[in-house]
Amino acid sequence: MSPNAIMSSDREQVLRLRSIVMAFGRLFAVNGVDLDVAKGEHLAILGPNGAGKTTLFNVISGDLTPTRGTVMIKGVDCTSLPSRRRPRFGMARTYQKARSFPGLSVEDNLYLAVVGKRGRHLSLWRSGTDRSWREQARAAAETVWLTEELATPVSDLSHGQKRQLEIGMAVATDPDILLLDEPASGLSRGEREWLIELLSDLGADITLLLIEHDMDVALRVVDRVMVMADGQQIAAGTPSEIEHDPVVLQTYLGTGASA
Amino acid sequence: MKQAKTSGRRLVASSLFALALIVAACADDDADAPPGLDDSEDAVDDVDDADDADDDVDVADDGDDEVRLGILGQCEGPFGGFHEDTVAGVALALVNHAGATVPSDDTALDGWEGAEVNGTPIELVGVGCGDDTPDRILAEVRQLVEQNDANVVIGPLSGDEGIAVAEYALQNPDVTFLSGIAGSQEPTLEVQAPNFFRFHGEGAIWNAGLGDILHNQEGWETAAVIADDYSFGHTSTAGFVAEFCGVGGEVTSRVFPPLGTTDYSSYIAQLPDPDEVDGYFWAVGGTGTQAALEAFVDAKGDLTGDQHAGNLFFNPDLAQALGPDIAGAYVGGFASPPGDVQMPAIDEYLASADETWDSLPTGIAGGERADASAAASFGFMYGYYSAGVALVDGLAETGGDPSPEPLQSALGGLSVELPYGDIALDDNRSGIVDVFISRLTVDDESGEVVQETVALIPEVDQTFGGTFGADTPAPSRDFPPCEERDLPWVGNAIPVEDGVPQQ
Amino acid sequence: MSTAVGQAPQAGDGTADSKRSVVYALPKAVAYAAAAFVVVWVLFIAGDSPAGPAVSNPGRFVVTLLDAITFAGLLFVVASGFTLIFGLMRTVNMAHGSLFLLAAFVAINVQHAMLGKSRNIVADEVGILDWVVPMLVGALVAACVGLILQQLFLRWNQGQELRQALITLAITVIMADQMLNHFGGLALRMTWPGSVTHFIEILGQRYATTRLFMLAVAVLVGALLWLWLNRTRMGLVIRAGVDDETMVRALGINITFVFAVTFFVGAFLAGIGGAMGASFAGAATGSDGDWLLNSLVVVIIGGLGSIKGAVAGSLLYGMVIAFAPAYLPSRYSFYAIILTFVLLAVVLAVRPYGLFGRPA
Amino acid sequence: MTRQLRSPTTIAFVAVVALLVVLPAIGSSFFVNFIMTRTLILGLAAATIVFLSAYGGMVSLAQLMLFGTAGFMFGNAVLEASPRGLNLGWAPWTAVVFALAVATAIAFLLGALSSRTTGIYFLMLTLVYAVIGYNVFAQVVPISGPSGITRITPPPPITQATHLYYAALLLSIGGYVVLKLVARTPFGLALQGVRDDPVRMASLGFRVPLHRALAFTLAGFIAGVAGLLNVWWNGQIDPASIGISPTLVLLIVAVIGGISHLEGAWLGAFVYVAANSYLRALPFVDRIGITEDRFNTVIGALVLLIMVLSPEGLSGVIQRLSNEGRRRFSRFSSRDGTGRVDTSGDDAGESPVVMIDSSTSPPTEERK
């Protein structure tokens, strides 16, 4: 299955992976993945535990440098560009296990997300733009329903609130490419509805990559699915195609359909 | 709500802090009640205002009718085991010469009672606890003087501490300082505080006589030096080099391993081989004494005693592992000579120590309990003893007046009678002392290595015939240079046989 | 599911074609260049140094190399205990130097008691047992004290690395003070057994077999350690624990017991090192700090938690200690000790977690 | 903001400062010029440890070395005829600038070198820095040598001991305020982010090592300021002044006060200095084994006790007591507050302190 074959359209390419291999010693977590994602596309990456989904995310976000292969973001070869340089390409991500800053308040967390992309990291003064960044942070808080908790230290948030914040921090950067690693895990039913609503409402320009175990969430918000197992792509297509793909049903849905 | 909580916490913290401040400040005020207050404030102002020193003379006269003595000991660091010795030295001096008694017969740290000279009592106001560093001893001396209101301080114990205390003395002319046993040159040669007196020798002085004997008697033409790379190592080396070269010998190499060296082999390798040089002078202390000697044996060949000489670190008590192979080596002097020197005054002194205490935990016995005379015969306690005797003599001279001016002028002119030889001061108030040179020999009975005194070098002063002075650099890796010079005591060495000076 | 987030940096070494690689290739290139320069300097140039270039004075070079390796043996024994404890439990035992010194003092006193005298001991009087027994007794005391410390102060706060480090630092302060009180401030020494005290000729240079004996003991200790870690069930658990603590827990192994044993062994190794160090260089107040520092330097260079790293770190550090005073120009040989810093800086610039270390 | 001006916090702060300002009039000269001046100097230096630990997650043992470096450099620059040192004979304030510049530059260099390590590695590495610093000053004779540099006096306007006290007070307040304010700037917030999760910070676009290096540099600069005060106060500095045991003392001061509270640094310094000076003078303490020659055992035991019972140190204890008191008198028990530093004591019982968090929370280190 050539990657080009599954390209949904000839829209602008924002992400292009070519033969990505990520080896840890003798273990090949990702083993030869090709992927093209067009602007505005919403893609879910599915697969059982250990399939290499998060590792692939880490390669895309720059947390890992692939052993082999290339990563192009918006036409630029970013293969070994460190993760801190990637927000400038409009890339933002969340982590599977919420990674926010427990020692800081919700507002400060969101504020850091805003500042991270803008530079002036070392500023010892609060300039005029600083105020607008604060407003941006508060706006992001509103998006993820955390306005009430602005002053609360993150360590005091509930698990669900931490996930909300995690997404808020990604959204706060006003990203073009959003990588969400299992955003729905640990959320209550109501919170999942909220998440689906939020993701569905994302602007048409925003490219979304989603790792999700919850098929319900995943298939409702994306327009294309890639299924991984043992570090390789085993299937790709639209949500409905995937739902009926025999290989997928056997390797993944067969065991984890209830997830 | 958050505001209230955090601020409340800080409020409590601040209040507690403030309370502590007030309590401490007031408690201190009481302790500082007149007449001490005036004194101590002036003393402190002088810390930064040394030039005004003279202004204070009149203030100082107003009411000192007792000696408030502070002792600077050393209870931590490499000489931490000798803490008891320092207080014991002073206490014994007061027992022997000022009618004091000691409250405890198994520790010296309890001080003494009833010391008095011409009706002036001598009270112990505090014992400072040094750790061989100048910073610490400065804190301790400031506490003794500024908090405990000491007007006389005896101490400190080690060289770099001595420099710091002498500098402090310079800024506090109303307090009289008697060095304990600090073996650096600078306190008297360089700093020259008029109120700092040293009734003992120092690192260079203690090695006087070695060069003369080794060159003129043992026939060494060339020598190599290995010494610790810090001030005492440098000073010991300076004393040896000044004399050995002064009488015509040549020091062909000087190696200075840093303090804390564990493996001496690379430094030993820098020394010339035994067939390339007539002998070696060692001034490596602590664990280094034996480690360096062993590295020498490993690389250069077995020790032959007559090819070696060392400073006071070659003391078999300090370096208990010195093996019998080293027998024959010459050893520089210290404040007190080895135990074989016998004179009535010495016997009397040691006996008085044993009468005063049943036993003391002393550094020379590795912190174990030992007869008080064992501590008394060693230089650390003896140095403090000398200072104590000098203080008593000085007070006797002034008729008991402990005020700075008369006491300090009396001390400057003293010649103190001491068991191991009388000590007078030079113009810089540093002791002119007799130095005992000894050799290591194997004791026939016990088979142990012991020191046997071989010569007494009379009246050594710290200038070494002008080699060292206020204008010369401090002893260092390459100072003094190796050149001939006249030393006043060369040729005057008095042989000592069986512990008795032959004169 | 995530196989590993943020694995060891070596993964990135393969990619060459980007700015980033250039940035990190630079320190590496500088490090290699520096190493090459040092080798060339020692072999051929070494102008005005006490030893002279190796080609013109090969005996001296070989002896210096042997000095480096034999001293590295001692460094390894001390540092391996430190790194073992860290590797399994992530506990930085700042009291390692204190355990070293305690064992040294105990061993010296036992030897004195066995020989019935405390001074002027010559090697010929010392049988092999008069050395081995004190060493084992000293090491056992250190191991027991270590175990007590671990059970009392470290067991219940496992995982709080800095808190544990500070606790052990406080213990260091207390132990140093108490040892000064009990053993005095004078330098003491243990004597090598007479049967190993000989001298041999190496390229015209005299060399002491005691140093080779020390190396032999170190190799023996290293071999036993290796066997324990690789050939026993507990060793397997420990190695698994070093790699992944949660996995060991999941296997249902009694990790508390494994921790206790490991701490015991680590402290025991400090004690063996203490007895060897007391024979090699003597022991006194302050040796504890020196040896803690030696252990730290070794493991920072080699990588915390890695036995291989301890070997490499000991060798490199031993080399610097032996070669710097001999091969620096005479005028600068006083600054030999500072070269330790250069070594550290070079290693850290290339590998922030040491040669064989992994990020925490 | 304006409300804060009248808050009990500010009032308490002002009260303490006011007390310290009038202290020379009511306290004895020893208390002011020895105990309190030393407290302020040590406190300022220890505050840099607390700053790095609380906001940066780095426990540094190199602060005393930087403190000493500034002192050595000042002595080298200002003296003309000292037996040791460079004897540059510069104007005092030029020497001040020089000393601070050198200390800051060295801090930046060392900070950069260790910026990719954290937690326990950082602690060990900075301990090695400290010892190497000691060796440099002990071995490199032109800048110091073993006996150090003596007879250093403060620059002109500071001519009396009380001037020095006020200088120390002023700089302590300044240092405290600066460090507090820095924590609220973008840089300071980013630093706290780095403390909490360096990997996340990197993926947000921050240069993690640079933040660490610059925080270390700032702390080095302030430690340098404290170091200058120290040589003015002490009159001399030598390699042993920055040896391993005073290095540990500074850490102990920070630990006693509480390593995650800036105020704790001064509190710890006061307790340490006062204990050192007054404890042995108390009646009967020698009966229970507290004599001056076993003082280290007492201090060690104190630190051990603090680390075992409450890693938050004295400020943590005080905070707990005050929280406890509040709970008794009010029904409010909800958890709130903003800054980590402000609230960490609140959950001291349940979760480890900041410094410990830093080593346990991020499971992985960021990519370079």
Side-chain angles (χ1 to χ4, degrees):
Chain A
M1 213 177 305
S2 134
N4 292 325
I6 62 158
M7 268 193 60
S8 52
S9 75
D10 52 6
R11 280 179 291 173
E12 187 196 338
Q13 294 264 313
V14 291
L15 185 66
R16 169 177 293 199
L17 304 184
R18 281 296 172 269
S19 5
I20 296 295
V21 174
M22 185 73 234
F24 300 109
R26 262 165 284 161
L27 174 70
F28 286 79
V30 175
N31 197 356
V33 167
D34 295 305
L35 180 66
D36 290 83
V37 184
K39 187 170 182 181
E41 198 174 4
H42 289 195
L43 171 78
I45 303 176
L46 305 181
N49 280 330
K53 305 185 298 283
T54 295
T55 307
L56 188 66
F57 254 39
N58 285 337
V59 167
I60 297 170
S61 70
D63 287 345
L64 290 173
T65 305
T67 315
R68 278 196 297 279
T70 52
V71 177
M72 310 267 287
I73 303 172
K74 294 183 175 171
V76 181
D77 182 353
C78 298
T79 310
S80 45
L81 195 72
S83 61
R84 69 172 177 80
R85 306 270 282 269
R86 301 201 184 192
R88 311 268 165 90
F89 286 91
M91 181 177 277
R93 73 167 290 184
T94 68
Y95 288 83
Q96 186 180 6
K97 183 168 174 270
R99 294 187 95 156
S100 38
F101 309 115
L104 295 173
S105 67
V106 168
E107 180 178 336
D108 287 340
N109 269 266
L110 294 166
Y111 171 76
L112 281 178
V114 176
V115 171
K117 189 181 174 186
R118 308 296 158 139
R120 291 182 56 95
H121 303 159
L122 305 176
S123 173
L124 290 174
W125 317 110
R126 293 188 227 172
S127 55
T129 44
D130 193 80
R131 191 164 303 151
S132 77
W133 294 344
R134 285 272 169 201
E135 272 159 25
Q136 224 170 313
R138 283 192 277 267
E142 207 178 320
T143 315
V144 293
W145 296 4
L146 282 173
T147 306
E148 293 285 296
E149 319 287 341
L150 271 177
T152 311
V154 170
S155 52
D156 291 355
L157 291 183
S158 72
H159 183 75
Q161 286 172 320
K162 281 183 186 162
R163 309 269 359 162
Q164 285 165 249
L165 174 63
E166 183 84 4
I167 295 163
M169 283 169 72
V171 171
T173 63
D174 194 10
D176 301 334
I177 311 167
L178 190 56
L179 310 175
L180 301 181
D181 193 347
E182 296 195 30
S185 78
L187 294 190
S188 68
R189 188 175 295 271
E191 286 165 337
R192 280 170 198 234
E193 286 304 320
W194 161 81
L195 178 69
I196 291 167
E197 193 181 322
L198 178 80
L199 295 181
S200 312
D201 288 353
L202 281 179
D205 288 347
I206 297 182
T207 311
L208 173 70
L209 270 71
L210 182 72
I211 295 177
E212 191 47 76
H213 271 163
D214 186 332
M215 295 292 286
D216 187 37
V217 173
L219 301 181
R220 274 172 66 189
V221 297
V222 302
D223 34 51
R224 187 153 69 94
V225 177
M226 165 176 149
V227 184
M228 284 180 77
D230 294 330
Q232 288 169 323
Q233 174 182 316
I234 56 162
T238 63
S240 57
E241 282 165 21
I242 292 298
E243 270 178 303
H244 303 104
D245 187 307
V247 185
V248 175
L249 286 173
Q250 191 193 338
T251 59
Y252 179 56
L253 302 177
T255 54
S258 61
Chain B
M1 208 154 50
K2 158 226 150 194
Q3 194 77 167
K5 192 168 72 176
T6 53
S7 58
R9 158 177 58 85
R10 270 197 221 136
L11 185 65
V12 175
S14 317
S15 324
L16 280 178
F17 184 64
L19 197 67
L21 274 181
I22 293 166
V23 168
C26 296
D28 206 63
D29 269 347
D30 294 343
D32 252 4
L37 191 62
D38 295 355
D39 271 332
S40 86
E41 271 190 354
D42 286 328
V44 173
D45 283 348
D46 288 338
V47 170
D48 298 298
D49 236 347
D51 298 346
D52 305 348
D54 294 348
D55 303 352
D56 301 324
V57 172
D58 52 341
V59 184
D61 285 352
D62 68 2
D64 271 345
D65 47 6
E66 57 173 0
V67 173
R68 293 178 302 277
L69 179 62
I71 297 174
L72 290 170
Q74 200 168 102
C75 61
E76 286 164 21
F79 301 114
F82 290 95
H83 189 53
E84 192 113 354
D85 300 38
T86 62
V87 186
V90 178
L92 186 58
L94 299 181
V95 167
N96 287 353
H97 298 277
T101 55
V102 292
S104 162
D105 60 8
D106 59 2
T107 175
L109 294 179
D110 288 348
W112 58 82
E113 288 155 1
E116 208 177 275
V117 178
N118 285 22
T120 305
I122 302 176
E123 304 286 348
L124 180 64
V125 296
V127 179
C129 168
D131 65 354
D132 203 34
T133 66
D135 280 354
R136 174 68 169 266
I137 211 70
L138 268 178
E140 296 294 322
V141 73
R142 288 190 67 168
Q143 186 157 352
L144 289 179
V145 171
E146 296 166 31
Q147 185 193 7
N148 299 355
D149 202 23
N151 56 4
V152 177
V153 172
I154 293 182
L157 184 140
S158 78
D160 287 344
E161 292 181 334
I163 302 174
V165 171
E167 293 280 358
Y168 183 77
L170 198 58
Q171 292 155 355
N172 293 271
D174 292 342
V175 183
T176 305
F177 291 84
L178 294 128
S179 172
I181 189 71
S184 51
Q185 286 186 327
E186 285 98 320
T188 48
L189 201 59
E190 193 92 45
V191 182
Q192 298 191 349
N195 51 336
F196 187 90
F197 302 87
R198 167 148 80 183
F199 288 90
H200 60 78
E202 32 87 332
I205 288 180
W206 289 326
N207 292 299
L210 276 181
D212 184 15
I213 292 175
L214 291 172
H215 181 71
N216 292 327
Q217 196 175 314
E218 298 294 320
W220 291 16
E221 291 299 328
T222 55
V225 169
I226 175 165
D228 282 331
D229 196 14
Y230 79 117
S231 41
F232 191 70
H234 295 163
T235 310
S236 292
T237 303
F240 173 76
V241 169
E243 188 174 294
F244 187 72
C245 294
V247 297
E250 192 194 346
V251 171
T252 55
S253 103
R254 307 181 196 194
V255 175
F256 293 96
L259 282 183
T261 298
T262 310
D263 186 353
Y264 280 87
S265 53
S266 290
Y267 296 95
I268 293 299
Q270 295 177 27
L271 290 172
D273 286 339
D275 54 357
E276 295 165 350
V277 72
D278 293 324
Y280 303 87
F281 175 76
W282 300 77
V284 183
T287 53
T289 313
Q290 183 64 22
L293 275 172
E294 191 161 308
F296 183 91
V297 174
D298 288 353
K300 301 279 183 194
D302 293 333
L303 297 171
T304 46
D306 51 10
Q307 222 181 359
H308 297 276
N311 72 345
L312 62 95
F313 294 138
F314 261 31
N315 184 317
D317 289 311
L318 288 181
Q320 297 178 342
L322 283 176
D325 285 352
I326 196 72
Y330 280 92
V331 182
F334 191 30
S336 62
D340 66 329
V341 177
Q342 287 173 342
M343 287 184 277
I346 295 173
D347 295 341
E348 205 178 305
Y349 162 68
L350 296 179
S352 72
D354 284 333
E355 274 165 34
T356 309
W357 294 281
D358 283 346
S359 65
L360 289 177
T362 168
I364 203 68
E368 303 286 312
R369 294 207 152 269
D371 286 347
S373 55
S377 65
F378 194 64
F380 287 134
M381 177 161 165
Y382 181 65
Y384 279 79
Y385 178 81
S386 307
V389 176
L391 172 63
V392 173
D393 284 7
L395 284 171
E397 192 96 338
T398 62
D401 184 358
S403 331
E405 213 180 1
L407 179 60
Q408 290 170 14
S409 82
L411 283 171
L414 281 185
S415 174
V416 183
E417 271 183 47
L418 288 163
Y420 293 114
D422 301 352
I423 293 178
L425 300 184
D426 64 12
D427 293 345
N428 296 333
R429 294 158 297 282
S430 187
I432 301 171
V433 303
D434 300 341
V435 177
F436 290 87
I437 300 296
S438 55
R439 277 188 101 160
L440 296 176
T441 56
V442 177
D443 186 77
D444 294 337
E445 284 169 34
S446 65
E448 294 194 341
V449 175
V450 295
Q451 274 178 293
E452 188 180 86
T453 309
V454 293
L456 188 162
I457 320 299
E459 298 187 0
V460 180
D461 76 286
Q462 73 173 156
T463 65
F464 276 62
T467 309
F468 306 113
D471 304 330
T472 61
S476 64
R477 291 172 190 142
D478 44 18
F479 184 84
C482 189
E483 54 195 27
E484 290 199 29
R485 48 176 74 82
D486 288 327
L487 299 177
W489 55 80
V490 167
N492 298 345
I494 300 164
V496 178
E497 281 172 22
D498 296 327
V500 182
Q502 302 297 303
Q503 191 173 1
Chain C
M1 133 160 208
S2 84
T3 316
V5 182
Q7 260 285 355
Q10 64 260 27
D13 293 353
T15 50
D17 56 340
S18 76
K19 233 196 265 172
R20 177 148 174 256
S21 304
V22 175
V23 170
Y24 286 96
L26 187 68
K28 205 172 254 189
V30 171
Y32 285 135
F37 174 75
V38 168
V39 170
V40 171
W41 173 271
V42 167
L43 289 180
F44 303 108
I45 312 173
D48 190 34
S49 73
V55 284
S56 60
N57 192 351
R60 183 72 188 280
F61 173 76
V62 171
V63 162
T64 309
L65 191 63
L66 269 177
D67 282 347
I69 296 171
T70 48
F71 187 57
L74 176 55
L75 286 171
F76 167 75
V77 172
V78 182
S80 61
F82 187 82
T83 207
L84 181 73
I85 291 174
F86 179 84
L88 182 64
M89 310 180 212
R90 308 271 124 182
T91 297
V92 168
N93 179 19
M94 290 286 186
H96 201 69
S98 307
L99 294 171
F100 171 98
L101 186 59
L102 176 66
F105 278 138
V106 170
I108 290 167
N109 281 305
V110 171
Q111 191 184 48
H112 288 176
M114 288 176 75
L115 296 170
K117 62 191 221 173
S118 63
R119 46 169 49 181
N120 311 135
I121 298 167
V122 286
D124 295 337
E125 304 167 321
V126 183
I128 192 85
L129 278 184
D130 295 326
W131 189 79
V132 172
V133 172
M135 174 174 82
L136 292 178
V137 173
L140 270 177
V141 169
C144 292
V145 171
L147 186 63
I148 293 169
L149 296 183
Q150 194 253 344
Q151 292 292 313
L152 276 184
F153 297 113
L154 303 177
R155 202 169 78 135
W156 46 269
N157 50 26
Q158 197 55 49
Q160 302 175 29
E161 297 172 3
L162 283 159
R163 188 179 191 179
Q164 292 189 326
L166 294 175
I167 283 177
T168 51
L169 262 183
I171 290 168
T172 299
V173 173
I174 297 172
M175 279 180 74
D177 204 37
Q178 289 303 319
M179 285 192 280
L180 176 65
N181 195 19
H182 288 105
F183 298 104
L186 296 183
L188 298 172
R189 190 173 179 82
M190 200 160 136
T191 310
W192 291 112
S195 48
V196 302
T197 310
H198 303 288
F199 301 95
I200 53 173
E201 283 277 311
I202 296 173
L203 295 176
Q205 305 267 332
R206 178 178 160 111
Y207 206 77
T209 50
T210 46
R211 289 191 75 117
L212 300 174
F213 175 68
M214 185 167 77
L215 180 62
V217 175
V219 171
L220 180 70
V221 167
L224 289 175
L225 199 57
W226 186 85
L227 283 176
W228 183 54
L229 288 176
N230 288 279
R231 290 282 181 274
T232 66
R233 197 180 131 67
M234 181 172 274
L236 186 76
V237 172
I238 289 171
R239 281 187 302 134
V242 169
D243 288 337
D244 185 359
E245 194 186 313
T246 45
M247 191 185 90
V248 178
R249 281 188 202 286
L251 289 175
I253 292 158
N254 186 352
I255 196 83
T256 357
F257 177 68
V258 176
F259 277 7
V261 170
T262 306
F263 210 97
F264 185 85
V265 172
F268 189 81
L269 286 169
I272 297 278
M276 288 166 70
S279 315
F280 176 74
T285 311
S287 306
D288 49 352
D290 293 343
W291 281 98
L292 171 64
L293 191 81
N294 284 339
S295 310
L296 287 179
V297 172
V298 166
V299 299
I300 290 174
I301 294 172
L304 256 176
S306 157
I307 299 285
K308 249 189 296 179
V311 175
S314 306
L315 281 172
L316 272 177
Y317 186 38
M319 294 278 183
V320 167
I321 286 176
F323 278 88
Y327 287 91
L328 276 175
S330 300
R331 236 158 15 110
Y332 301 107
S333 63
F334 301 113
Y335 305 147
I337 208 160
I338 298 163
L339 276 193
T340 310
F341 175 72
V342 177
L343 173 68
L344 265 181
V346 168
V347 169
L348 285 175
V350 181
R351 298 193 67 96
Y353 294 96
L355 296 176
F356 292 90
R358 302 168 308 154
Chain D
M1 275 295 173
T2 42
R3 216 169 2 123
Q4 272 184 6
L5 288 179
R6 286 193 303 269
S7 76
T9 314
T10 319
I11 293 170
F13 181 75
V14 168
V16 169
V17 169
L19 179 65
L20 289 171
V21 167
V22 300
L23 193 66
I26 55 173
S28 76
S29 68
F30 176 76
F31 185 74
V32 173
N33 299 323
F34 186 91
I35 301 283
M36 286 316 293
T37 308
R38 186 151 185 241
T39 294
L40 291 168
I41 295 170
L42 269 184
L44 184 58
T48 66
I49 294 183
V50 175
F51 168 74
L52 286 176
S53 163
Y55 299 118
M58 308 179 269
V59 178
S60 166
L61 281 169
Q63 298 314 106
L64 188 80
M65 187 267 288
L66 297 165
F67 170 95
T69 301
F72 275 114
M73 289 305 135
F74 178 78
N76 272 303
V78 79
L79 294 177
E80 287 174 68
S82 158
R84 290 166 294 270
L86 294 171
N87 286 317
L88 297 175
W90 291 351
W93 288 100
T94 317
V96 167
V97 173
F98 170 72
L100 290 177
V102 172
T104 311
I106 290 178
F108 179 72
L109 183 79
L110 297 181
L113 197 59
S114 46
S115 62
R116 289 185 284 160
T117 58
T118 48
I120 207 72
Y121 287 82
F122 190 84
L123 180 81
M124 295 193 302
L125 196 55
T126 47
L127 178 59
V128 174
Y129 289 163
V131 175
I132 287 165
Y134 165 81
N135 283 327
V136 166
F137 286 108
Q139 295 289 304
V140 182
V141 173
I143 55 169
S144 158
S147 299
I149 295 178
T150 52
R151 224 176 281 185
I152 301 169
T153 51
I158 307 170
T159 52
Q160 287 178 18
T162 38
H163 294 177
L164 193 57
Y165 167 77
Y166 280 117
L169 180 58
L170 201 66
L171 289 170
S172 279
I173 296 170
Y176 175 76
V177 171
V178 163
L179 292 177
K180 273 279 180 199
L181 288 183
V182 160
R184 300 307 304 166
T185 64
F187 169 73
L189 286 171
L191 184 64
Q192 293 169 69
V194 167
R195 171 199 68 199
D196 285 350
D197 192 340
V199 179
R200 189 74 177 103
M201 282 304 280
S203 74
L204 285 176
F206 290 87
R207 289 170 177 243
V208 168
L210 184 65
H211 274 88
R212 290 203 185 112
L214 288 181
F216 194 72
T217 310
L218 173 67
F221 172 79
I222 293 178
V225 170
L228 283 179
L229 286 169
N230 180 60
V231 286
W232 298 342
W233 176 75
N234 217 17
Q236 70 102 34
I237 185 159
D238 64 293
S241 311
I242 56 170
I244 198 162
S245 81
T247 294
L248 292 185
V249 163
L250 195 63
L251 181 70
I252 284 170
V253 161
V255 168
I256 292 177
I259 201 153
S260 50
H261 300 263
L262 268 186
E263 329 44 6
W266 284 272
L267 185 61
F270 180 71
V271 168
Y272 180 82
V273 175
N276 225 331
S277 296
Y278 296 116
L279 192 60
R280 58 176 105 144
L282 292 176
F284 306 122
V285 284
D286 52 338
R287 299 287 152 75
I288 53 169
I290 303 178
T291 55
E292 67 269 20
D293 46 337
R294 293 282 79 80
F295 181 70
N296 271 350
T297 298
V298 176
I299 283 291
L302 179 63
V303 174
L304 187 60
L305 204 67
I306 287 174
M307 289 318 294
V308 167
L309 295 180
S310 160
E312 294 278 298
L314 287 181
S315 41
V317 170
I318 290 172
Q319 188 174 353
R320 240 192 248 188
L321 288 178
S322 88
N323 286 348
E324 190 61 30
R326 184 177 332 285
R327 254 172 229 146
R328 301 239 168 120
F329 290 109
S330 91
R331 290 187 190 145
F332 301 124
S333 59
S334 68
R335 308 163 62 82
D336 48 15
T338 47
R340 170 75 169 189
V341 171
D342 285 338
T343 56
S344 49
D346 188 40
D347 47 28
E350 301 120 66
S351 75
V353 287
V354 168
M355 37 166 285
I356 288 157
D357 265 3
S358 66
S359 61
T360 52
S361 63
T364 59
E365 181 53 37
E366 83 283 12
R367 299 277 294 146
K368 297 174 282 189

